Amino acid sequence: MAEAHAAVAFSFAITHEGFDINYDHEVLNLVWNSGVRSWKKRLARARNGVRNGVYPAHIQSLWLISAIALGLHFAGYQAPFNLTNRVLVHLPSNTTNWQVTACFLAALVIWLSICFTMRYTLKLLLMYKGWMYESRAPGSRVSLPTMLWVAVVRVLSSWNKPGLYSFQGSLPRLPLPSVKDTMTRYLRSVRPLLDDDNYSRMERLAKEFEQSIGKKLQWYLVLKSWWSTNYVSDWWEEYVYLRGRSPLCVNSNFYGTDAIFMNLTNKQAARAANVVHLLLNFRRLIEHQELQPIMVQGMIPLCSWQYERTFNTARVPGLETDRIIHYKDSNHIVVLHKGCYYKMIIYHKGRILRPCELQVQIEEILKAKATPLDGEEHLAALTAWNRSKWAEARNTYFSRGVNHVSLRTIESAAFVLSLDDEPFEFDLERPELLDNFGKKLLHGNGYNRWFDKCFTVCVATNGRVGFNAEHTWSDAAIASHMWENLIVDDLVSDGYDEAGDTKGTPEFQPPLPTRLSWDLTPCLSKIDEATVDVTKLINEVNLRILVHQEYGKGFMKKCRISPDAYIQMALQLAYYRDAGRFSLTYEASMTRLFREGRTETVRPCTIESAAWVKAMQNQSISNDERVKMLQAACDRHQLGYQDSMCGRGIDRHLFCLYVVSKYLEVDSPFLNEVLSEPWRLSTSQTPHGQTPKMDLKKHPNCISAGGGFGPVADDGYGVSYIIAGENLIFFHISAKTTCQQTDVQRFSENISQALADIRSMFEQHIKDHPKPAKSIQNGAST
């Protein structure tokens, strides 16, 4: 195996004839190239660190200021604050060389002062969030403060081309809401879910909490918000993800699909090779910080912190809590095919292997007649097992020997590539094919995805691709950005010849992939037990992917309503018709306008949305009244979305208060009840258009079908949707088959009917009122 080969690449011995040195030139050359690549990355990180530290100023501007300082000094003029002479006093002499040194040091002080002034000015400007609440309706006027703010921010943010992490030092910290404000927002959010008696009881609990223990808990959070970069993110990662003991499969990991209307090649090896190459190029953009940060409206930066762990990352199980391990570098990926694991080298002489060279390696794996070792085929079921059980098995059977070496090879890989032995199919006339596509990506057969890895790329026999991603290291927006970039580049790069193979000719014979070695006999019973458990888990989950083609965001914009609010209201109506009641609803929004921000919860079930849903079920209410009520509900939803993005959400604050209460061993009836409420309807919009390369007018079939996740509650639905174009929306709907109250097919039909009813309502309103209805605030969306 490769590790053993590397171990004997160099040997040294003393004999009676003198020194005896043996070495393997090929392996030592591989070690040398790896070291050179590592040092290049260190130098690049150091250079980028300096550039990011002084952003938005230019590093090159230092030389301009130095030249001005030299010119002023030798022309007999004083530098600002007489800095040159003040510095010169502390130098050994007054010679020309020391005068030049004094000029440079004075210029450095002035330059750093300008840099940090610009940086903290930008930080103060980015704390302003009034622009979020400005109306975006046609004809509406922007306030004077926002206009001035936009002008200054645009100048500072476009002054210098930013790197991926250039804005990190300028992003403000996530603000901490007051307990009073959070209580007010919370009570308003649960009003449509509670009857009068229960609401009065909840009001009493909230008031008691606010006036008693809430003050003490808030004081600790204030200290944390001052001391830490983000008062939520580290606890959120620790307690929501890493301390969770449930299997990652279905419960945590999410998936993303291919651009289903686009078929570039039917050859599995060719598509896999191009995908691997494009992903490695994306990794290089991150490592060299050449990936442009996402800018809202082209000038307001989002936090890029989560990109750092996109590759070379694994979640390692622990008995009580897991941990995330991120490797600074990796020169290989791991390929899984027909139950066998292979290590595949992806670099040669400091460069990424070309697609045609990668295809040669992948074809070798596909042609191999290898059969899995005992237990190897079902090995990945351990990563889909209960986390404590997997941790115990890992500590017992994978802490030494060949199992330890092979497991480390997987965990240190850039990512895992799964070459599936079945096709991923799509046909609008056969919706069950797309459903199966999603199921294969969500969980596969339970043991052909390495669920602990940052992500597993899945390539089918017909060339279609998708991915399964672990959730701890980032939110879906990061993986979505990576995948969107890949799909666009795969199309525009024209990387396939007429036969469907990758273009180009290999410059050398790529190294053959090497099989990973295992000794799994001692843990076969654990692997079998994990396989039984994960098979039961995936059989309990049903998935339906609804393709809504009747209309999309084009019609929604004509109605002067935010597409996201429009769809959320349709989901409220569909759920009420499905369950006969309202439910606590989760919608994810991002808080990446702040440093190290991740997500916040929007609660779409509001007083206004509940009133509109009931109106839709009441035939005595006029169509005009329904339209007004929907507009009011969408206004309220957008306000909640804006509040969440601006750090004025409800649930992350309550979560952190709960964590503090547990640390202090203080019991709070209010927090216990709030944190135990089930999210029976969990929703999320898949963002797209994050890269400027995505031009749907030029490449209409380039859009991905989005992705999805499993249900959060045993008696609820998980709904992910992507507004894929002017006339196309995908809904990924999941639920447990063991629950008698939920049915994905029925719920998808209710969604379709709700969308049709809202369209009919607006069409009738437009017919009755030829002039457009008064517009509502369109709000910011992600």
Side-chain angles (χ1 to χ4, degrees), residues 87-152:
V87 171
L88 193 58
V89 171
H90 300 283
L91 297 180
S93 67
N94 196 26
T95 63
T96 302
N97 288 339
W98 286 114
Q99 290 183 52
V100 171
T101 302
C103 288
F104 177 77
L105 292 174
L108 181 62
V109 171
I110 295 171
W111 179 71
L112 288 174
S113 300
I114 294 173
C115 290
F116 285 104
T117 298
M118 294 177 66
R119 179 172 173 173
Y120 284 100
T121 298
L122 181 59
K123 188 169 187 174
L124 288 172
L125 289 167
L126 292 178
M127 293 175 68
Y128 173 71
K129 295 294 183 289
W131 62 273
M132 283 283 293
Y133 299 90
E134 296 279 355
S135 173
R136 287 160 179 79
S140 60
R141 298 187 62 182
V142 179
S143 66
L144 181 60
T146 297
M147 291 177 64
L148 295 174
W149 175 83
V150 166
V152 179

Side-chain angles (χ1 to χ4, degrees), residues 353-653:
L353 293 184
R354 298 170 61 194
C356 58
E357 295 161 351
L358 293 167
Q359 184 176 348
V360 171
Q361 293 178 298
I362 294 170
E363 285 175 341
E364 288 293 329
I365 295 174
L366 292 174
K367 290 187 298 184
K369 303 296 183 180
T371 56
L373 302 171
D374 289 344
E376 185 179 13
E377 182 179 5
H378 293 175
L379 176 62
L382 293 172
T383 68
W385 207 14
N386 174 278
R387 300 306 292 173
S388 296
K389 292 181 179 180
W390 167 212
E392 185 178 350
R394 188 180 190 275
N395 294 338
T396 304
Y397 305 108
F398 295 87
S399 60
R400 63 186 68 86
V402 293
N403 289 348
H404 174 73
V405 173
S406 295
L407 180 61
R408 180 179 172 82
T409 300
I410 296 175
E411 293 177 344
S412 64
F415 54 88
V416 171
L417 172 66
S418 177
L419 300 173
D420 289 7
D421 53 2
E422 56 184 335
F424 298 161
E425 298 176 295
F426 168 69
D427 186 345
L428 283 174
E429 302 300 323
R430 299 175 61 193
E432 71 277 4
L433 294 179
L434 188 56
D435 297 346
N436 290 330
F437 193 163
K439 291 175 185 177
K440 291 170 185 176
L441 296 176
L442 176 63
H443 49 63
N445 58 18
Y447 44 82
N448 60 353
R449 312 280 180 258
W450 197 268
F451 294 101
D452 284 358
K453 199 62 189 157
C454 47
F455 61 90
T456 299
V457 177
C458 314
V459 185
T461 54
N462 60 351
R464 293 200 178 275
V465 298
F467 71 88
N468 179 287
E470 203 278 316
H471 209 327
T472 310
W473 62 271
S474 84
D475 300 308
I478 309 302
S480 176
H481 185 194
M482 174 190 72
W483 202 245
E484 181 180 281
N485 193 83
L486 180 148
I487 288 175
V488 176
D489 284 348
D490 203 9
L491 174 65
V492 301
S493 63
D494 190 25
Y496 306 94
D497 60 22
E498 293 181 356
D501 292 306
T502 55
K503 290 183 177 180
T505 304
E507 296 180 357
F508 73 108
Q509 181 61 38
L512 296 178
T514 56
R515 278 283 303 274
L516 299 188
S517 298
W518 305 97
D519 178 17
L520 303 175
T521 303
C523 59
L524 287 178
S525 61
K526 298 295 183 182
I527 295 175
D528 291 340
E529 185 181 349
T531 303
V532 171
D533 287 352
V534 71
T535 302
K536 179 181 178 182
L537 175 65
I538 64 180
N539 287 337
E540 291 178 349
V541 177
N542 203 357
L543 180 70
R544 173 83 174 91
I545 301 179
L546 170 64
V547 185
H548 185 269
Q549 297 185 94
E550 284 68 28
Y551 66 95
K553 66 179 180 181
F555 177 78
M556 299 173 190
K557 289 178 179 178
K558 290 180 181 178
C559 299
R560 312 290 180 88
I561 288 182
S562 161
D564 181 73
Y566 189 107
I567 291 176
Q568 284 293 334
M569 294 306 106
L571 291 175
Q572 288 298 307
L573 179 58
Y575 185 85
Y576 186 81
R577 289 172 173 174
D578 186 88
R581 56 183 168 82
F582 295 108
S583 174
L584 190 63
T585 306
Y586 180 105
E587 181 189 5
S589 73
M590 61 90 173
T591 56
R592 289 171 59 202
L593 292 169
F594 304 95
R595 189 169 182 179
E596 294 186 11
R598 291 197 62 161
T599 60
E600 178 57 274
T601 304
V602 183
R603 296 184 169 217
C605 184
T606 61
I607 297 171
E608 292 78 6
S609 69
W612 169 75
V613 168
K614 291 179 180 179
M616 291 294 289
Q617 302 298 99
N618 188 345
Q619 298 300 321
S620 64
I621 297 179
S622 68
N623 191 72
D624 287 352
E625 189 63 25
R626 290 175 178 174
V627 169
K628 292 179 181 178
M629 295 174 76
L630 176 58
Q631 290 178 333
C634 290
D635 274 336
R636 169 53 61 177
H637 177 78
Q638 283 304 107
L639 180 60
Y641 205 107
Q642 292 157 348
D643 282 343
S644 296
M645 290 181 66
C646 294
R648 301 188 184 103
I650 300 169
D651 293 277
R652 298 301 180 269
H653 186 200

Side-chain angles (χ1 to χ4, degrees), residues 160-175:
N160 184 9
K161 184 179 179 181
L164 180 60
Y165 304 123
S166 292
F167 287 105
Q168 293 303 100
S170 300
L171 290 172
R173 298 188 182 196
L174 183 69

